[in-house]
Amino acid sequence: MKTLKTMILCTIMMVCGMNAMADNRDNLIYNSEEVNGLVMSQTVYKNEDGALINYQKISYQYDTQNRRIEEVSMKWNSNKNAWVNDICIRSTYEGKSITNTYYKWNNKKGEFVMVPEMTITIDNPNL
């Protein structure tokens, strides 16, 4: 009986989580720019009462094997009326491992600063 209650609770929580994600996604509009089938940049807008509001801009870089090696995210600053740097993710490939190193923009230094606790390495058997 406990297992059944746990399964029902997990199912309810999963459905609620999916609904919350769907609601958020419905308010976002994506505009991607591609070159030779690779997404080079993406601009994300919030749909607020039918008006598109700048939200996020992401640019991507690839290596010679078309693997994503860098992703730079900027967010819209309505006070400055400009895009401002936010996060940079750099990926390195070694054998069957991919390491994603995360950087956060530091306004005082005027550069991305590594966030070591967010760096992760995963093994991908498909490489």
Side-chain angles (χ1 to χ4, degrees):
M1 190 67 167
K2 271 188 165 179
T3 304
L4 180 61
K5 286 181 182 179
T6 303
M7 286 177 53
I8 291 170
L9 179 61
C10 287
T11 303
I12 291 171
M13 290 176 64
M14 185 178 77
V15 169
C16 290
M18 287 171 41
N19 285 338
M21 286 186 339
D23 288 343
N24 188 32
R25 239 186 319 225
D26 288 343
N27 290 333
L28 298 178
I29 307 296
Y30 297 84
N31 182 32
S32 299
E33 294 180 31
E34 293 185 17
V35 174
N36 297 324
L38 295 175
V39 176
M40 301 307 289
S41 66
Q42 192 170 54
T43 304
V44 183
Y45 304 93
K46 275 188 179 179
N47 183 357
E48 294 184 4
D49 299 322
L52 296 181
I53 309 298
N54 287 332
Y55 179 65
Q56 182 181 29
K57 188 178 270 194
I58 310 163
S59 61
Y60 305 99
Q61 289 186 18
Y62 300 87
D63 65 11
T64 57
Q65 296 176 25
N66 292 336
R67 299 179 298 189
R68 190 173 291 166
I69 57 171
E70 186 174 83
E71 177 178 326
V72 176
S73 173
M74 296 184 290
K75 59 185 176 183
W76 182 253
N77 183 321
S78 57
N79 294 329
K80 294 181 179 181
N81 201 30
W83 294 105
V84 294
N85 285 324
D86 186 28
I87 294 174
C88 176
I89 304 168
R90 294 188 179 125
S91 302
T92 56
Y93 301 83
E94 193 171 313
K96 295 190 179 288
S97 297
I98 305 168
T99 300
N100 292 316
T101 306
Y102 289 75
Y103 300 83
K104 183 77 176 152
W105 183 256
N106 184 308
N107 283 325
K108 289 181 182 177
K109 292 184 177 184
E111 64 185 14
F112 285 105
V113 176
M114 188 170 71
V115 184
E117 61 272 12
M118 291 183 65
T119 296
I120 59 169
T121 299
I122 57 172
D123 289 326
N124 184 347
N126 297 322
L127 288 177

